[in-house]
Amino acid sequence: MKRIPSLARFGTFAGVLFLALLSLVFLVTWSIWFIIPLALFGVLSLMGIYDVFQEKHSILRNYPVMGHMRFFFEGIRPEIRQYLIESDQDEEPFSRDDRSLVYQRAKGQEDARPFGTRMRVYDAGYSWVTHSVQPVHITDSDFRVRIGNDACKQPYDASIYNISAMSFGSLSANAISALNKGAKMGGFAHDTGEGGVSRYHRDGGGDLIYEVGSGYFGCRTEDGQFDPQKFQDQASSNQIKMIELKLSQGAKPGHGGMLPASKISAEIAEARDIPMGQDCVSPAAHSAFNTPIEMMEFLGQLRELSGGKPVGFKLCIGHQREFMCMVKAMLETGVVPDFIVVDGTEGGTGAAPLEFANHIGMPMIEGLTFVHNTLRGAGIRDQVKLGAAGKVVSAFDIARCLALGADWCNSARGFMFAVGCIQAQACHTNHCPVGVATQDPTRQRALDVGHKSQRVARFHRNTLKALAEMTGAAGLDNPSEFLPRHLMLRQGDNSMVQGDEVYGYLPEGYLLDDKAPDFRGNKTRWDRAQASSFAPFD
């Protein structure tokens, strides 16, 4: 009797066996239509028999047939959470409020909110922009920033909001086409990602930022080294406006990648300039340079080969001293990049090891503040424009970045939402339900390039209109005038601070002044940094 409750877990299996036998009896003695339930319960019975004897899953051995329900609900858990359980403010990783805002602006729908804010304005972490009693009406929201210092022969007037790096291969052909055509309509830039310049980037006609990663895709030799001639041929295109050397990306800094041969199509091979039938490896580090000085010399070479176009690099801050090594190399070689893009650990990717996504890399706000103040301390901030990337989807996100030192912002997932991404988080499976992050031709067919490109342009335009309204409310004429003091941050339930108390600008040239105080240990790091090596100088 004691074993009866224990054996009850086989009740479902026993039930389908009984119903299969009963269907067989009725099939023989009563009606041919019982072949339908016989087929159904027969399949379930065979499944149960397999479950009992298989060795991989303990749940299925103990709960044959019924145990499959656990795996079914686990498979649809993200959808259940997103549509039924998740609140509007839960960030998984983007909240429903953020996604809805992008969808509404991309569709040109009303994005106003009735009945007041739903945010907990008295909780720690809440932040806001201070407004003026004399607001300004701004009519032109096409905000631009000129990128290119004195060494640049072809400066670029970029929008202050652009499409961040996403490679063809990670995104579908239709998604790339829609993004680039939208960028063309809206007059903003589209970063190619490290996967190279594909035919879909070119066909759209939009301005491109050519990202050169450690795999040197599109400008590589057969053994994966940098090829100057191929780069020159690539960079000479009028469509390419800037060159971006990728050191690291926020979601997986310090981590390389490998695209299996099975996933390499003829179009991906064409864009990356790689052979078919071989795994495509993206090393964690560059082979073209090993020291900060060599890195600056390589940037100088890219500038020369591109005909004097703006050249810079993108990174997520790790060892702060290593970035100071780069800045010292700028001073020593005289090669100062035209721009630097600061990515944050909150940035997105098609796939990354969980530890890298969660626990490696500096968040964008702290990284941006550090880079901005380091360049100020070295006296070269006026020569380098700063871009910021990492969950920037609203006008407030842009305003906050500009206040903390950025000159412009990039967004990847924001523009993915604009082309129809629903945050299914299936980017790495090739089963994207809306055709954005897949190479399956039947799935990406669902993404209509003409319609989605208009949504991309509309999202950009409406976001900058909202930024203009926010800027005017602060009493400013241009978003570039935002400063840390225009931000307020709540540190606790009963305390708030002004932005410059937490993220203030440090004095120009303080790192070069022996008499200047050591702000936040930066001078100590500066003394340990050397232009000749990324290793610490003791």
Side-chain angles (χ1 to χ4, degrees):
M1 294 296 292
K2 292 182 179 180
R3 297 194 62 189
I4 292 178
S6 176
L7 294 175
R9 66 182 186 271
F10 293 98
T12 303
F13 179 36
V16 297
L17 281 174
F18 173 76
L19 291 172
L21 291 174
L22 190 63
S23 298
L24 178 60
V25 172
F26 285 159
L27 172 67
V28 173
T29 62
W30 194 353
S31 171
I32 189 66
W33 289 105
F34 278 95
I35 195 171
I36 297 175
L38 175 62
L40 173 63
F41 294 119
V43 169
L44 292 175
S45 298
L46 292 174
M47 179 189 296
I49 294 170
Y50 172 79
D51 291 343
V52 170
F53 290 101
Q54 59 83 34
E55 300 176 349
K56 292 183 179 179
H57 298 290
S58 300
I59 288 178
L60 296 182
R61 295 194 77 175
N62 277 332
Y63 299 90
V65 181
M66 186 173 64
H68 287 278
M69 295 297 292
R70 184 258 188 191
F71 297 102
F72 170 75
F73 283 112
E74 186 180 57
I76 63 172
R77 180 179 180 274
E79 288 79 9
I80 292 176
R81 179 176 180 85
Q82 182 178 145
Y83 294 115
L84 300 178
I85 300 175
E86 177 185 297
S87 79
D88 289 341
Q89 283 78 43
D90 285 344
E91 296 185 357
E92 297 285 342
F94 282 85
S95 70
R96 178 169 292 277
D97 274 350
D98 285 338
R99 301 196 306 271
S100 296
L101 179 68
V102 176
Y103 298 147
Q104 288 163 348
R105 287 181 173 164
K107 296 175 182 177
Q109 296 176 349
E110 177 64 54
D111 59 2
R113 170 63 53 81
F115 224 67
T117 181
R118 284 185 275 186
M119 301 191 73
R120 302 175 69 90
V121 299
Y122 293 102
D123 285 0
Y126 177 71
S127 57
W128 65 96
V129 168
T130 59
H131 65 280
S132 172
V133 296
Q134 292 185 311
V136 176
H137 179 62
I138 300 174
T139 57
D140 184 6
S141 60
D142 184 23
F143 304 117
R144 299 271 160 183
V145 56
R146 172 154 292 193
I147 303 174
N149 55 36
D150 292 341
C152 176
K153 298 178 182 178
Q154 301 184 54
Y156 176 56
D157 292 327
S159 169
I160 64 168
Y161 194 45
N162 302 288
I163 302 173
S164 196
M166 294 180 285
S167 301
F168 169 59
S170 295
L171 297 193
S172 68
N174 285 13
I176 293 292
S177 294
L179 288 170
N180 196 259
K181 289 183 178 181
K184 174 70 172 179
M185 294 177 193
F188 52 99
H190 180 190
D191 194 313
T192 65
E194 66 175 315
V197 184
S198 71
R199 64 178 71 177
Y200 303 104
H201 289 100
R202 294 190 182 93
D203 290 347
D207 292 350
L208 293 176
I209 302 171
Y210 177 27
E211 184 176 271
V212 178
S214 57
Y216 306 114
F217 299 126
C219 57
R220 57 188 269 134
T221 61
E222 290 185 1
D223 60 351
Q225 303 299 302
F226 177 70
D227 188 319
Q229 186 58 54
K230 286 184 178 179
F231 172 80
Q232 186 174 33
D233 295 342
Q234 188 87 273
S236 64
S237 168
N238 290 332
Q239 194 177 353
I240 294 176
K241 303 300 182 182
M242 301 201 298
I243 312 298
E244 178 182 273
L245 181 70
K246 175 196 168 184
L247 300 183
S248 58
Q249 71 180 87
K252 49 182 179 182
H255 191 277
M258 192 269 287
L259 186 65
S262 59
K263 293 187 177 181
I264 300 176
S265 66
E267 292 174 327
I268 293 175
E270 176 190 59
R272 298 194 177 203
D273 191 23
I274 56 175
M276 294 281 290
Q278 298 180 22
D279 294 340
C280 175
V281 177
S282 298
H286 280 265
S287 59
F289 55 87
N290 294 302
T291 69
I293 287 179
E294 290 177 355
M295 176 184 163
M296 294 310 128
E297 291 173 343
F298 184 59
L299 287 172
Q301 182 185 14
L302 296 181
R303 179 185 278 154
E304 181 180 353
L305 291 171
S306 67
K309 293 180 179 180
V311 170
F313 59 91
K314 179 181 81 171
L315 83 168
C316 175
I317 295 296
H319 297 321
Q320 297 173 70
R321 173 192 48 78
E322 290 184 346
F323 179 75
M324 288 183 166
C325 291
M326 301 176 201
V327 176
K328 279 195 170 182
M330 296 174 198
L331 298 177
E332 186 167 324
T333 62
V335 179
V336 179
D338 300 289
F339 67 91
I340 297 172
V341 175
V342 181
D343 202 359
T345 193
E346 65 269 45
T349 181
L354 186 64
E355 294 86 354
F356 277 77
N358 287 347
H359 300 294
I360 294 185
M362 186 178 291
M364 183 263 290
I365 294 299
E366 286 76 14
L368 172 62
T369 304
F370 168 72
V371 169
H372 172 65
N373 280 323
T374 300
L375 295 174
R376 283 177 62 86
I380 55 174
R381 177 62 181 89
D382 61 330
Q383 301 179 52
V384 185
K385 293 295 189 292
L386 287 185
K391 296 186 76 172
V392 182
V393 298
S394 71
F396 174 73
D397 296 333
I398 299 173
R400 180 179 58 179
C401 290
L402 298 181
L404 300 182
D407 294 293
W408 87 90
C409 295
N410 292 335
S411 176
R413 287 168 292 179
F415 284 99
M416 285 177 67
F417 291 142
V419 295
C421 170
I422 60 171
Q423 195 172 275
Q425 300 183 59
C427 311
H428 59 301
T429 65
N430 205 35
H431 296 154
C432 174
V434 291
V436 176
T438 179
Q439 296 305 305
D440 184 335
T442 59
R443 288 180 177 270
Q444 63 175 291
R445 178 179 174 274
L447 195 158
D448 182 79
V449 173
H451 174 64
K452 301 300 185 183
S453 61
Q454 294 176 13
R455 286 181 46 155
V456 169
R458 198 179 294 121
F459 166 62
H460 176 270
R461 182 173 63 253
N462 289 334
T463 301
L464 291 192
K465 283 183 179 179
L467 179 62
E469 293 177 350
M470 179 172 280
T471 302
L476 306 176
D477 295 315
N478 192 284
S480 63
E481 298 174 14
F482 274 114
L483 293 170
R485 66 171 179 263
H486 294 116
L487 296 178
M488 295 294 294
L489 305 98
R490 188 173 294 284
Q491 291 187 316
D493 292 344
N494 298 311
S495 64
M496 62 183 184
V497 295
Q498 198 164 276
D500 54 5
E501 296 179 45
V502 183
Y503 302 114
Y505 292 2
L506 297 183
E508 287 276 358
Y510 79 94
L511 290 174
L512 308 178
D513 184 358
D514 294 335
K515 297 180 180 179
D518 187 1
F519 296 96
R520 304 166 188 165
N522 283 342
K523 292 193 74 173
T524 301
R525 295 188 190 92
W526 181 259
D527 291 340
R528 297 181 65 236
Q530 52 183 332
S532 59
S533 173
F534 285 109
F537 176 75
D538 292 317

